[in-house]
Short mmCIF file of all heavy atoms in Angstrom, two decimals:
data_model
loop_
_atom_site.label_atom_id
_atom_site.label_comp_id
_atom_site.label_asym_id
_atom_site.label_seq_id
_atom_site.Cartn_x
_atom_site.Cartn_y
_atom_site.Cartn_z
N VAL P 74 15.63 -27.40 -30.90
CA VAL P 74 16.00 -27.94 -29.58
C VAL P 74 16.83 -29.21 -29.76
O VAL P 74 17.89 -29.36 -29.15
CB VAL P 74 14.75 -28.21 -28.72
CG1 VAL P 74 15.11 -28.97 -27.44
CG2 VAL P 74 14.04 -26.90 -28.38
N ARG P 75 16.38 -30.09 -30.61
CA ARG P 75 17.12 -31.34 -30.84
C ARG P 75 18.51 -31.07 -31.43
O ARG P 75 19.50 -31.67 -31.00
CB ARG P 75 16.31 -32.25 -31.76
CG ARG P 75 15.10 -32.86 -31.07
CD ARG P 75 14.29 -33.70 -32.01
NE ARG P 75 13.27 -34.46 -31.29
CZ ARG P 75 12.16 -34.90 -31.83
NH1 ARG P 75 11.89 -34.68 -33.11
NH2 ARG P 75 11.29 -35.58 -31.10
N GLU P 76 18.58 -30.17 -32.41
CA GLU P 76 19.86 -29.84 -33.03
C GLU P 76 20.81 -29.17 -32.03
O GLU P 76 22.02 -29.42 -32.06
CB GLU P 76 19.64 -28.93 -34.24
CG GLU P 76 18.97 -29.64 -35.40
CD GLU P 76 18.39 -28.69 -36.44
OE1 GLU P 76 18.60 -27.46 -36.35
OE2 GLU P 76 17.70 -29.19 -37.35
N SER P 77 20.28 -28.34 -31.17
CA SER P 77 21.11 -27.66 -30.16
C SER P 77 21.70 -28.66 -29.18
O SER P 77 22.88 -28.58 -28.83
CB SER P 77 20.28 -26.60 -29.42
OG SER P 77 19.87 -25.60 -30.31
N LEU P 78 20.89 -29.60 -28.73
CA LEU P 78 21.39 -30.63 -27.83
C LEU P 78 22.46 -31.48 -28.52
O LEU P 78 23.50 -31.80 -27.91
CB LEU P 78 20.24 -31.51 -27.33
CG LEU P 78 19.26 -30.85 -26.36
CD1 LEU P 78 18.02 -31.72 -26.17
CD2 LEU P 78 19.94 -30.57 -25.03
N ALA P 79 22.23 -31.82 -29.77
CA ALA P 79 23.21 -32.60 -30.53
C ALA P 79 24.51 -31.84 -30.71
O ALA P 79 25.60 -32.42 -30.61
CB ALA P 79 22.63 -33.01 -31.88
N ALA P 80 24.44 -30.55 -30.94
CA ALA P 80 25.64 -29.73 -31.13
C ALA P 80 26.47 -29.69 -29.85
O ALA P 80 27.71 -29.76 -29.90
CB ALA P 80 25.26 -28.32 -31.56
N VAL P 81 25.82 -29.58 -28.70
CA VAL P 81 26.55 -29.57 -27.43
C VAL P 81 27.21 -30.93 -27.21
O VAL P 81 28.37 -31.02 -26.78
CB VAL P 81 25.61 -29.21 -26.25
CG1 VAL P 81 26.30 -29.40 -24.91
CG2 VAL P 81 25.13 -27.77 -26.40
N GLU P 82 26.49 -31.99 -27.54
CA GLU P 82 27.05 -33.33 -27.40
C GLU P 82 28.24 -33.53 -28.34
O GLU P 82 29.27 -34.07 -27.94
CB GLU P 82 25.96 -34.38 -27.66
CG GLU P 82 26.38 -35.77 -27.26
CD GLU P 82 25.22 -36.75 -27.26
OE1 GLU P 82 24.05 -36.33 -27.35
OE2 GLU P 82 25.50 -37.95 -27.16
N GLU P 83 28.11 -33.07 -29.57
CA GLU P 83 29.21 -33.18 -30.53
C GLU P 83 30.44 -32.40 -30.09
O GLU P 83 31.57 -32.75 -30.44
CB GLU P 83 28.76 -32.70 -31.92
CG GLU P 83 27.81 -33.66 -32.60
CD GLU P 83 27.24 -33.09 -33.89
OE1 GLU P 83 27.84 -32.18 -34.47
OE2 GLU P 83 26.17 -33.58 -34.30
N ALA P 84 30.23 -31.37 -29.29
CA ALA P 84 31.35 -30.56 -28.77
C ALA P 84 32.02 -31.24 -27.58
O ALA P 84 32.99 -30.71 -27.03
CB ALA P 84 30.86 -29.17 -28.39
N GLY P 85 31.51 -32.40 -27.16
CA GLY P 85 32.16 -33.16 -26.11
C GLY P 85 31.51 -33.07 -24.75
O GLY P 85 32.08 -33.58 -23.78
N SER P 86 30.37 -32.47 -24.63
CA SER P 86 29.68 -32.38 -23.34
C SER P 86 28.45 -33.27 -23.33
O SER P 86 27.98 -33.71 -24.37
CB SER P 86 29.25 -30.93 -23.08
OG SER P 86 30.38 -30.11 -22.92
N ARG P 87 27.97 -33.52 -22.13
CA ARG P 87 26.74 -34.29 -21.97
C ARG P 87 25.63 -33.30 -21.65
O ARG P 87 25.48 -32.89 -20.49
CB ARG P 87 26.88 -35.32 -20.87
CG ARG P 87 27.81 -36.46 -21.25
CD ARG P 87 27.94 -37.45 -20.16
NE ARG P 87 28.48 -36.75 -18.99
CZ ARG P 87 28.52 -37.24 -17.77
NH1 ARG P 87 28.04 -38.43 -17.53
NH2 ARG P 87 29.01 -36.55 -16.76
N PRO P 88 24.85 -32.92 -22.63
CA PRO P 88 23.83 -31.89 -22.38
C PRO P 88 22.64 -32.42 -21.60
O PRO P 88 22.29 -33.60 -21.70
CB PRO P 88 23.40 -31.48 -23.79
CG PRO P 88 23.62 -32.71 -24.61
CD PRO P 88 24.84 -33.38 -24.02
N ARG P 89 22.07 -31.53 -20.82
CA ARG P 89 20.82 -31.79 -20.14
C ARG P 89 19.95 -30.57 -20.37
O ARG P 89 20.34 -29.45 -20.03
CB ARG P 89 21.03 -31.98 -18.63
CG ARG P 89 19.72 -32.18 -17.87
CD ARG P 89 19.95 -32.35 -16.38
NE ARG P 89 20.40 -31.13 -15.72
CZ ARG P 89 19.59 -30.17 -15.27
NH1 ARG P 89 18.29 -30.26 -15.43
NH2 ARG P 89 20.09 -29.12 -14.66
N LEU P 90 18.82 -30.78 -20.97
CA LEU P 90 17.91 -29.66 -21.21
C LEU P 90 17.27 -29.31 -19.88
O LEU P 90 16.42 -30.04 -19.38
CB LEU P 90 16.86 -30.03 -22.26
CG LEU P 90 15.87 -28.94 -22.64
CD1 LEU P 90 16.57 -27.68 -23.14
CD2 LEU P 90 14.91 -29.46 -23.70
N ALA P 91 17.72 -28.21 -19.29
CA ALA P 91 17.27 -27.83 -17.95
C ALA P 91 15.94 -27.12 -17.97
O ALA P 91 15.23 -27.10 -16.96
CB ALA P 91 18.32 -26.94 -17.28
N GLY P 92 15.58 -26.52 -19.09
CA GLY P 92 14.30 -25.84 -19.12
C GLY P 92 14.15 -24.96 -20.34
O GLY P 92 15.10 -24.71 -21.08
N ILE P 93 12.94 -24.51 -20.53
CA ILE P 93 12.57 -23.60 -21.61
C ILE P 93 12.06 -22.33 -20.94
O ILE P 93 11.22 -22.38 -20.05
CB ILE P 93 11.44 -24.19 -22.48
CG1 ILE P 93 11.81 -25.56 -23.04
CG2 ILE P 93 11.01 -23.19 -23.56
CD1 ILE P 93 12.81 -25.56 -24.16
#
Side-chain angles (χ1 to χ4, degrees):
V74 171
R75 287 178 170 156
E76 290 164 7
S77 296
L78 290 168
V81 171
E82 192 169 348
E83 287 173 22
S86 294
R87 290 180 300 168
R89 177 181 70 85
L90 182 57
I93 304 286

